[in-house]
C-alpha cells in the first residue's frame, strides 16, 4: 500500500485521535448527514409528539412492509424485545428455554430475567446452534427454542421448525445480528413465532442510542406485545394486563425511519460484498478456516469471523500493531461466565463453543471498508503466517 491515508477512511479531524486505521467503528461517517435527521426531530418537538408519536407508528408500518412481517412492534432495546416475547408467550418460572452458549449475554439474560432456565446446546463450526443436538436437551419443562442467527447467518430453521412442531415448542429467534438475512429465499420471520432485533449503535441497522423491535406474523402475540410494552394499557384509562414501559423513543424512531429508507439496503449489500472478498483472499491461507457458505442462506455479516489453527492472540496483536482493529467476539462462552455458575456447567461441556472462543478473530467488515483495505488486511494475515513458520 503506497499511501497510508488510503487505508484510513476516517475524516482527517477524527483520524488523528484514533488508534487504528482500519477500525471496527464507523459511526461518525455513517451519521455524517445527521442534519437531515435533525429536521425530523424538530417536528417532533414542534408538535410535542414524544410518546409513541407518529414517527413510531410510521416506523412500525414501514418496517413490517420492508421486513415481510404482518406486525412490527418497536420497543426500548433488543434485550427487552426478547424478554417481552417470552412474557407474551407465558414463559417464565419452572420453564426451560433451549439456546446457545455462544452468544451475546443478553440472549441468556432475557431468559433468566423472565424467570426461566436457559439450557444450552453446543454450536457447529458456523457458530450457530447445532440443530441435531437439540432434541436430546428437550424435557417436560422445555417451552421454547431461542436460536441466535450468529453474525447474521440464519440457523437451520427447517430442522428447528420441525423439532418445535413435534415437541410443541415456541421459536423465539434472536435476530439482533440478522437484519435483512434470508433462509432459503425467505425472510426469517416466517420461521418462528417471533424475531427480535436491536437498534443499538453497533448493530447493522442502528440509531443514536437504545432501541429495538419485534417482528411476528402472529396477531394475538402482536396484540399482547403492543400492550406489554406500554403498561398493558388498551387506552388511557383501561389496563388489560400489567406490563412494562419499553417504548421505542420517538427521537430514535426518527433516526431509525430515516436509516430504514435511505441506508439499510446499501449497508447490507456492502457488508456482503466485503465479506465475500475476505473469503476469497483468506481462503488461500492454509492456517485459516472460514465458515463454509451455503448458497441457500443469505448471511448479512454483522461480524466477519475467521478461525485460526494456531497463534490467534499473536495474530491479533500483529494486526493491532499494524493499526487494524482485529477483535474477539467473544473470548468467553456464556456457560463459562461467572453469572452462569448456578447452571452448573463446566469447561468441556460445549467443546465447539470453547474451541471457537479460543480460535476466532473478527475483522472490520462495515460499509466504509474499501477493497484496498480488505486486500491489505488479508495480505498482512498471509505475511504473519509465512513469517511464523520460519
Ligand atoms: C445486541 C444483542 C442483543 C441485545 O440488544 P440490546 O439492544 O443491546 O439490548 C441481544 N442478542 C444479541 C445476539 C445481540 O447481539
Amino acid at each position: 500500500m503506497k499511501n497510508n491515508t488510503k487505508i484510513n477512511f476516517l475524516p482527517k479531524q477524527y483520524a488523528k485521535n484514533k488508534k487504528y486505521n482500519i477500525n471496527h467503528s464507523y459511526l461518525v461517517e455513517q451519521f455524517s448527514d445527521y442534519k437531515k435527521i435533525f429536521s425530523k426531530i424538530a417536528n417532533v418537538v414542534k408538535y410535542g409528539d414524544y410518546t409513541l408519536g407518529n414517527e413510531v407508528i410510521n416506523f412500525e408500518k414501514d418496517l413490517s412492509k420492508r421486513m415481510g412481517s404482518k406486525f412490527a412492534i418497536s420497543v426500548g432495546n433488543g434485550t427487552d424485545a426478547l424478554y417481552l416475547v417470552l412474557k407474551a408467550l407465558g414463559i417464565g418460572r419452572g420453564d426451560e428455554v433451549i439456546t446457545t452458549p455462544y452468544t451475546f449475554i443478553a440472549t441468556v439474560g432475557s431468559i433468566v430475567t423472565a424467570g426461566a432456565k436457559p439450557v444450552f446446546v453446543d454450536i457447529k463450526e458456523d457458530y450457530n446452534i447445532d440443530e441435531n443436538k437439540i432434541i436430546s436437551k428437550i424435557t417436560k419443562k422445555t417451552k421454547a427454542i431461542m436460536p441466535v442467527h450468529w453474525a447474521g447467518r440464519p440457523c437451520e430453521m427447517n430442522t428447528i421448525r420441525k423439532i418445535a412442531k413435534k415437541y410443541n415448542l415456541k421459536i423465539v429467534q434472536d435476530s439482533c445480528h440478522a437484519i435483512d438475512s434470508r433462509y432459503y429465499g425467505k425472510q426469517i420471520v416466517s420461521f418462528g413465532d417471533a424475531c427480535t432485533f436491536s437498534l443499538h449503535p453497533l448493530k447493522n441497522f442502528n440509531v443514536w442510542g437504545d432501541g429495538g423491535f419485534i417482528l411476528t406474523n402472529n396477531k394475538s402475540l402482536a396484540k399482547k406485545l403492543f400492550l406489554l410494552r406500554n403498561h398493558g394499557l388498551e387506552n388511557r384509562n383501561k389496563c388489560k394486563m400489567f406490563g412494562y414501559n419499553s417504548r421505542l423513543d420517538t427521537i430514535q424512531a426518527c433516526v431509525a425511519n430515516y436509516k430504514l429508507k435511505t441506508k439499510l439496503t446499501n449497508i447490507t449489500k456492502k457488508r456482503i460484498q466485503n465479506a465475500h472478498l475476505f473469503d476469497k483472499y483468506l481462503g488461500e491461507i492454509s492456517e485459516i478456516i472460514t465458515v463454509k457458505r451455503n448458497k441457500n442462506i443469505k448471511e448479512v455479516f454483522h461480524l466477519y469471523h475467521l478461525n485460526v489453527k494456531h497463534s490467534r492472540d499473536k495474530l491479533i496483536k500483529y494486526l493491532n500493531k499494524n493499526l487494524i482493529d482485529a477483535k474477539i467476539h467473544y473470548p468467553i462462552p456464556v456457560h463459562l461466565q461467572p453469572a452462569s455458575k448456578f447452571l452448573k456447567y463446566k469447561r468441556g461441556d460445549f467443546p465447539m463453543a470453547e474451541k471457537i472462543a479460543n480460535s476466532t478473530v473478527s475483522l472490520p467488515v462495515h460499509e466504509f471498508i474499501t477493497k484496498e483495505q480488505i486486500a491489505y488486511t488479508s495480505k498482512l494475515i498471509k505475511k504473519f503466517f509465512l513469517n511464523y513458520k520460519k
Side-chain angles (χ1 to χ4, degrees), residues 77-79 82 103-104 106-107 148 150 174 176-177 198 200 203 211:
N77 56 68
T79 312
L82 287 165
T103 183
F104 179 57
T107 314
V148 180
W150 189 255
D174 184 340
C176 287
H177 293 185
S198 165
H200 183 277
K203 309 291 166 158

Side-chain angles (χ1 to χ4, degrees), residues 291-308:
V291 173
K292 266 204 200 80
R293 309 299 169 200
N294 175 345
K295 274 203 300 286
N296 299 311
I297 289 178
K298 181 182 168 193
E299 298 182 54
V300 293
F301 300 97
H302 173 57
L303 300 165
Y304 184 87
H305 289 302
L306 53 101
N307 295 292
V308 293

